[in-house]
Structures are given as structure tokens and as C-alpha cells.
Amino acid sequence: MTATIALVDDDRNILTSVSIALQTEGFLTRVYSDGESALKALIENPPDLAVLDIKMPKMDGLELLRRLREKSAIPVIFLTSKDDELDEALGLAMGADDYIAKPFSQRLLIARIRAILRRTEATQPAAEGDPQVPAEILERGRLTMDPARHRVTWGGINVTLTVTEFLILETLAQRPGIVKTRNQLMDAAYQDDIYVDDRTIDSHIKRVRRKFRQVDPEFDAIETLYGAGYRFSDE
């Protein structure tokens, strides 16, 4: 089934270019130039996923997400300015699924959309007559990861990760003690031949560590091996 993607941004150039790119990839698109006009449409006729800019007139993306979450659980990706870490953290806490900093690669956005839609599909109940395959929950020491529900806990406390961060951590945790190179982590987190440099993976690792240290200041399960990569320790 063809997925429908809603784009909400006050930059018409972004709306046009991203809409064309998504349609070329086989998606249906709806576009809105501000949060106020988008809200009613997103609730009354929900898309499969919404891409929201944070900085918009009339109603910004954070307020739009807050009101949307009162009525709907559709997946949401935020478009943020490069240095808006506070907005990113707030958006994820409010129920966004991922964020991408501007300026962004359209191929990267499409890859993130596909990843979130795959995870959303995995959480849907099986059709009548179809076999129900239970989701495999990953447990490593104090870490528990539920891929189907995109849920992570550390010592029973929820840790909110983006899709990219989840995939990187999952790749490390699947084989504790085994070193994963940056290229291996790139392959796990960025599919469809998306290229990112080493610094991007390092930045994601820093964010993951920071989020876990917010619930456990002593968190040290992700080890850096300089010149080699990273590994997860469940000891």
C-alpha cells in the first residue's frame, strides 16, 4: 500500500522539493504551509507519517505536535535548526519519532521515513489468518530494547531514542564485547546507500550516552576503542 506523507513547513521551496522527491519514490504527499492549517487536516484525515518544521508562524511544530498527540499517534519527524538541541529533546519527549537538522539530505529524510514506517508496520496486529510473529526483545544487563515498539529502558527507566540512535545501539547490543566499526554502524543506521561521515556516528554516540546518563550518571556501557570503533559491555 502506498504511504501518504504530510509535509508542514513555511518554506515553500522545501515543501516543493521534498514533495517531488517523495512522489518520485512512490509516496503520496500533502503539504501545509503552517501548523494552524495543518492541525485539523492531520487529525481528520491522518497521513501515515508527518514531517514537521519546528520554527513556523501561527503555530510552531512543537505546539502542533502537542495538540496532535491529544488525538493521534501518527509518526512524526521534526525538521530542526542545526543547534536546536533543546527543541529536539523537547520534541522527542512530546512524542516525535525522529529529527533531522537543516540543511538536510532528501535521501537521508526518505531513508528515515522508510525506517519509521517499517517500525510502525511491525507494531500493527497481524491480519486475520496471518501468523503472529512475536517481536524479539533484546536484553543485555540493565538494557532492554523492544524493536517492535521502539522502546528502550535502562534499569526499568524509559530512555527516548530516535530511530537512528535506536538502530546504532541495537547493533552494538546484539553482540556485547564485539567491536563495531563506524562503517558497520553507518550501514545499520543509514540504509539505501546513504553516506555520512565518521563525525555523524560519533555525534549520535555522544547523544545516546548523554540520554542514558540522564537516568544513570554512571552509565558506561558504550566503550570507545580509538581507531577501531565502539562496543557494548553488558557487565
Side-chain angles (χ1 to χ4, degrees):
M1 183 179 295
T2 301
T4 298
I5 311 300
L7 307 172
V8 189
D9 198 309
D10 61 325
D11 187 328
R12 294 192 177 276
N13 290 330
I14 289 179
L15 288 180
T16 300
S17 61
V18 174
S19 180
I20 291 172
L22 287 171
Q23 291 169 20
T24 300
E25 293 293 320
F27 294 102
L28 300 176
T29 61
R30 304 178 198 147
V31 298
Y32 308 92
S33 59
D34 63 81
E36 197 171 74
S37 63
L39 179 60
K40 184 177 180 181
L42 294 179
I43 291 175
E44 293 184 351
N45 189 17
D48 295 288
L49 181 145
V51 179
L52 312 180
D53 186 25
I54 286 186
K55 300 293 177 64
M56 294 186 291
K58 296 185 180 179
M59 181 187 297
D60 66 21
L62 292 172
E63 178 63 14
L64 174 57
L65 177 63
R66 186 187 70 78
R67 297 195 188 186
L68 192 59
R69 282 291 174 259
E70 294 174 353
K71 304 283 186 179
S72 173
I74 63 170
V76 166
I77 295 176
F78 266 136
L79 300 180
T80 74
S81 298
K82 191 170 185 179
D83 298 322
D84 286 344
E85 290 194 13
L86 180 60
D87 286 344
E88 293 166 3
L90 182 56
L92 292 172
M94 292 169 61
D97 297 86
D98 210 339
Y99 57 82
I100 295 179
K102 294 182 178 181
F104 59 90
S105 157
Q106 292 182 358
R107 292 180 64 206
L108 174 57
L109 174 60
I110 291 169
R112 294 296 90 212
I113 288 172
R114 292 192 188 282
I116 291 173
L117 290 177
R118 283 194 295 268
R119 290 198 178 278
T120 302
E121 183 179 358
T123 65
Q124 302 302 316
E128 188 174 349
D130 288 346
Q132 185 78 36
V133 180
E136 186 172 340
I137 294 177
L138 181 67
E139 295 183 340
R140 298 288 186 267
R142 302 180 66 189
L143 175 71
T144 300
M145 303 186 73
D146 185 344
R149 295 173 177 80
H150 190 74
R151 187 168 183 265
V152 181
T153 63
W154 180 259
I157 302 173
N158 287 330
V159 180
T160 303
L161 300 181
T162 69
V163 170
T164 307
E165 292 163 351
F166 188 102
L167 291 172
I168 289 173
L169 179 60
E170 183 181 36
T171 301
L172 291 170
Q174 282 172 341
R175 301 189 67 189
I178 302 299
V179 178
K180 294 291 184 179
T181 67
R182 290 172 176 82
N183 284 336
Q184 289 173 319
L185 296 177
M186 287 179 200
D187 290 341
Y190 294 90
Q191 301 170 8
D192 301 326
D193 296 323
I194 299 297
Y195 171 78
V196 296
D197 61 30
D198 289 353
R199 289 173 298 177
T200 301
I201 295 299
D202 293 341
S203 295
H204 284 306
I205 293 290
K206 288 179 182 177
R207 289 175 186 268
V208 171
R209 283 174 172 153
R210 184 166 64 240
K211 290 178 179 182
F212 275 88
R213 285 170 182 163
Q214 288 174 348
V215 302
D216 178 6
E218 302 301 320
F219 175 83
D220 61 356
I222 299 176
E223 301 176 4
T224 301
L225 284 87
Y226 293 98
Y230 298 94
R231 69 183 173 194
F232 182 86
S233 172
D234 59 353
E235 296 179 357

